[in-house]
Amino acid sequence: MTFELSMVQTAGWAVILLVIGTLIKNRFYFFQRFAIPSPVIGGFLFALVNLVLNQTGVLNVEFDVTLQSFFMVMFFTTVGYGASIKVLKAAGSRVGLFLLLATILCIFQNVVAVALAPVVGIDPALALMTGSTPMTGGHGVSGGIAPLVEQSGVTGAETVAYTAATFGLIAGSLMGGPVANRLIIKHDLMNKTSTKVNIDESLLESKPRQLSSERVLQAFIMILFAMFLGSFLTDGLNALIGQLTDKAAFPSYMGSIIVAIILRYISDRRNSEEGRELVPTQEIDVVGNVGLNIFLAMALMNIQLWQLADLAGPLVVLLAAQALLMWVWANFVTFRAMGGDYDAAVITAGHCGFGMGATPNGMANMASVTLKYRPSKLAFFILPIVGGMFIDFTNLVNILAFLSFV
């Protein structure tokens, strides 16, 4: 028997699963410890139930996921609005260096995935769904890229990407603290003075303000306006790419991100010159968070876990290789390149969390290290700028470049 849910019913069911995931996360420390998002918990829980229903032949559930794409584009548009060129310029060389290191890691994550594809006997495009898409990109980027790969004929791309992203959340959280602890002890960093770097912490400060329906409306206007213009830009970019190759295309939100970055740059210029706010960043962040949660719940509840049956062995090998790459990169590249001092060790812990999962996991890793030793203002300044503002953009370019060649 097939049970079909309409567009509105699908969105409503996603919200119910989001609430269930929130209740579970609040009750069980495991999910809090590894910063696993509530929609991932609720969505995966239903995916497991759906697996049983499907395999026993009891029920086949079909969703109208029209709104999933809308919420996805909405979220990534807010990512573009969060990418402040003004902040990047003012943040200093350490931020630029860490962004470069994180971007190069994305390239190596995809190199490892593609290189191991023939070894484990799967399609390179499917193997890429264990690379930087779910690792550095997390569930958000997985939800944007994996459907494109699935639509190109690679069955199981979404399921593999979401599974890999969940693995990354846990593995990165488990790895970060021990790696930093080992570096601190091995190099006796507590008895050494870190290199002093002047940072302007005001760049990340935002004073809380009263909820205003006018600013919330302005946030929606700016988001939908960028989505509107961005849709035409994406179509134009894909038309150009289509003349070069039929193996790759920009995701539907790419143009919206670019438009949002431009509008944020204009807003920053206006703020400094006229004191007028074109982009209400706090309200846009709130709307983006809503979009992300609903989008993830819809995406996760619709994955088909039975597609993993023939991929279990290859998936274990690919994910183990990604964990090994992260460990090597953290110890021998991130730590040394960032200065080899205490701040570098804390940043390394953060890179493990966000290089395999998400920025909140990286922040949690750093918090656990600084709680044991001492604070690191530099680390907590650098990671949010790179992880929260810029890495998704550079990672997308990297992913699309690899998809065009596999």
Side-chain angles (χ1 to χ4, degrees), residues 379-404:
F380 280 90
F381 177 77
I382 290 176
L383 193 78
I385 293 177
V386 174
M389 293 187 184
F390 295 102
I391 192 60
D392 281 343
F393 185 78
T394 60
N395 190 23
L396 279 173
V397 175
N398 163 49
I399 293 167
L400 293 171
F402 271 87
L403 284 174
S404 66

Side-chain angles (χ1 to χ4, degrees), residues 58-182:
V58 174
L59 184 67
N60 180 38
V61 183
E62 294 184 359
F63 299 103
D64 183 340
V65 293
T66 303
L67 288 177
Q68 180 179 323
S69 176
F70 174 81
F71 284 116
M72 176 186 70
V73 177
M74 174 183 284
F75 162 66
F76 279 102
T77 302
T78 65
V79 171
Y81 277 122
S84 173
I85 305 299
K86 175 183 176 182
V87 171
L88 182 62
K89 287 181 178 179
S93 59
R94 288 272 189 117
V95 172
L97 175 59
F98 186 58
L99 176 59
L100 177 63
L101 294 176
T103 302
I104 296 175
L105 172 63
C106 292
I107 296 173
F108 276 97
Q109 286 174 334
N110 289 334
V111 168
V112 167
V114 172
L116 287 177
V119 177
V120 297
I122 64 174
D123 189 320
L126 184 59
L128 267 178
M129 295 303 97
T130 65
S132 71
T133 299
M135 294 294 112
T136 298
H139 288 88
V141 175
S142 295
I145 295 296
L148 291 176
V149 179
E150 188 101 27
Q151 291 166 15
S152 69
V154 183
T155 303
E158 290 186 67
T159 304
V160 168
Y162 289 129
T163 302
T166 304
F167 165 83
L169 288 175
I170 297 173
S173 297
L174 287 174
M175 186 187 303
V179 165
N181 189 64
R182 170 185 166 274

Side-chain angles (χ1 to χ4, degrees), residues 101 104 327-339 348 351:
L101 294 176
I104 296 175
W327 186 89
V328 172
W329 191 267
N331 280 278
F332 300 103
V333 180
T334 301
F335 175 66
R336 296 181 181 182
M338 294 306 295
T348 299
H351 199 185

Side-chain angles (χ1 to χ4, degrees), residues 175-192 326-352 369 372-373:
M175 186 187 303
V179 165
N181 189 64
R182 170 185 166 274
L183 291 170
I184 292 169
I185 295 174
K186 179 182 178 181
H187 299 284
D188 194 25
L189 299 180
M190 289 301 293
N191 294 320
K192 296 179 180 179
M326 186 71 254
W327 186 89
V328 172
W329 191 267
N331 280 278
F332 300 103
V333 180
T334 301
F335 175 66
R336 296 181 181 182
M338 294 306 295
D341 54 14
Y342 174 75
D343 289 322
V346 178
I347 292 172
T348 299
H351 199 185
C352 290
V369 175
K372 180 178 180 180
Y373 294 103

